[in-house]
Amino acid sequence: MAAQDDYMTLTRVGPGTPMGALLRRYWIPAAMSEQMPEAGGAPVRVRLLGENLVAFRDPEGALGLVKEHCPHRGASLAYGRNEVGGLRCLYHGWKINAQGSVIETPAEPPESTFAKRICHPSYPLHEAGGIIWAYMGPPEHMPRFPRFPWLDLKPPHLLVAKIYQATNYLQGYEGDLDPAHPNFLHRDLDVEENASWGGAGWNSVLQLMNDSTPQIHCEETPYLFRVAAVRRSRAHNMKYVRIFEHCAPFYSYIASGPHEMQLFKAWHPIDDNSCYTFYIHFDPHKPIDAAAAYRNWGHRTSPPDYRPAQNIENMHLQDRARMHRNFSGIDGAALQDIAMQESMGAVYDRSEEHLGISDKAVIFYRRLALRLLRDMEEGKPLPGQDSELDFIQRGAACDIPDDRPWQEALRWQEQYERAHPASSAA
Ligand code: FES
Ligand SMILES: [Fe+2]
């Protein structure tokens, strides 16, 4: 049963838990910029890593993230007045600034000073790429903000979708660590519908359908680790290699082919039983077809809760009459993933599972994450935190000659892109 205990260790994200402490050592998504469009606008409730918080953009535009409940008697600051210098609680007028200091207690006599000693939990925020990111760890361990290369892109070169999922974040992230499932779950069964991936800018997905038993390779990197899925190619003497680059603590560049729009996935663990996924589609060279992306992934949702209409109660609107055209009977790759992951329950009992060869990357990651917990405990450096890292990473999906090592796939892809500039690509 040790394996299940270890798994549970990786799923618990609240304050004082080992994984909660590891995740708090990184900048993680807390909200979408669109949730706080105006300076001085309504504060937003944020539940992140099991903590109830409230985020706000003050009338001068500065961002703050503080514990939701007022340090006086616990009224929610989400109802508060958003004033210059902080949030003012409606109940008795206490004012709390973005650093967590209580700066006014108007119902107390002027000589009262006890509130000055209160330290209300607060966390720094950073806004980039349409996302508001939080750092919830010890100030002395705050890493540099990771300069992901897509952060400076704007629509139509950037499309960020956020979607709720009623499972532990790890149950979701393990889908990103599993290159074997698309041959089944994401398969369209007729040629016409397969074109939906092309419409969304991902013709390369069609190639993986050629071989449902990829060889999976994993190797650790300074960012976290890299996964390769190597399949037979339709082309003579070639193999089809898909590379997934993972960056700590739970970011992934999903494999994508030459000149295709890229996908960066990020997670927001709400608590131990629920999360949001961020799908960040980007293409520096050409505009994204947002309608096609929404159609293909099915992840169009809206604030405040970003919940899809499809959920476990309605069996994700699975339509068995469509199963002759689509393997799952569920439309949208994101919803197909959510359906399988929610169908397990919020946190599955891993002592009941039977891992095979195709689960190699899941096994690799679980071991790696447990080691990182020990490394953190021992004060060792953590991946993705070396200040020398440039965060220039990407996935790849291309044919390379059979006799070349899979590690060369990205180089081959970039060579192909140089030889066939985007303007001449299909
Ligand atoms: S509960 Fe907030 S000021 Fe009293
Ligand atoms: Fe998937």
Side-chain angles (χ1 to χ4, degrees), residues 239-252:
K239 59 189 175 192
Y240 181 54
V241 180
R242 291 172 61 82
I243 306 272
F244 301 74
E245 289 285 352
H246 293 270
C247 184
F250 39 39
Y251 303 128
S252 329

Side-chain angles (χ1 to χ4, degrees), residues 161-237:
K162 171 179 174 179
I163 188 164
Y164 173 83
Q165 177 162 331
T167 74
N168 183 262
Y169 80 98
L170 181 56
Q171 209 154 288
Y173 181 46
E174 287 189 349
D176 300 340
L177 303 173
D178 168 12
H181 78 274
N183 292 67
F184 310 97
L185 182 62
H186 301 316
R187 188 178 202 107
D188 292 330
L189 298 174
D190 66 23
V191 171
E192 205 185 310
E193 283 199 38
N194 264 339
S196 70
W197 284 101
W202 269 25
N203 276 307
S204 68
V205 169
L206 306 186
Q207 284 169 265
L208 73 83
M209 299 298 173
N210 190 43
D211 179 0
S212 62
T213 51
Q215 289 175 358
I216 297 172
H217 306 272
C218 305
E219 66 182 20
E220 221 175 315
T221 69
Y223 296 94
L224 188 62
F225 80 123
R226 176 178 297 134
V227 179
V230 180
R231 289 176 165 85
R232 290 189 304 277
S233 168
R234 289 193 177 91
H236 187 57
N237 287 342

Side-chain angles (χ1 to χ4, degrees), residues 10 177 216-221 224-227 246 355 359-371:
L10 298 181
L177 303 173
I216 297 172
H217 306 272
C218 305
E219 66 182 20
E220 221 175 315
T221 69
L224 188 62
F225 80 123
R226 176 178 297 134
V227 179
H246 293 270
L355 297 174
D359 303 301
K360 190 170 175 180
V362 169
I363 297 165
F364 185 97
Y365 171 75
R366 291 180 189 170
R367 285 195 189 129
L368 174 56
L370 288 166
R371 199 202 77 213

Side-chain angles (χ1 to χ4, degrees), residues 70-77 89-96:
C70 174
H72 178 217
R73 278 175 36 210
S76 170
L77 293 170
C89 179
L90 295 192
Y91 210 178
H92 312 92
W94 284 29
K95 187 166 172 179
I96 292 93

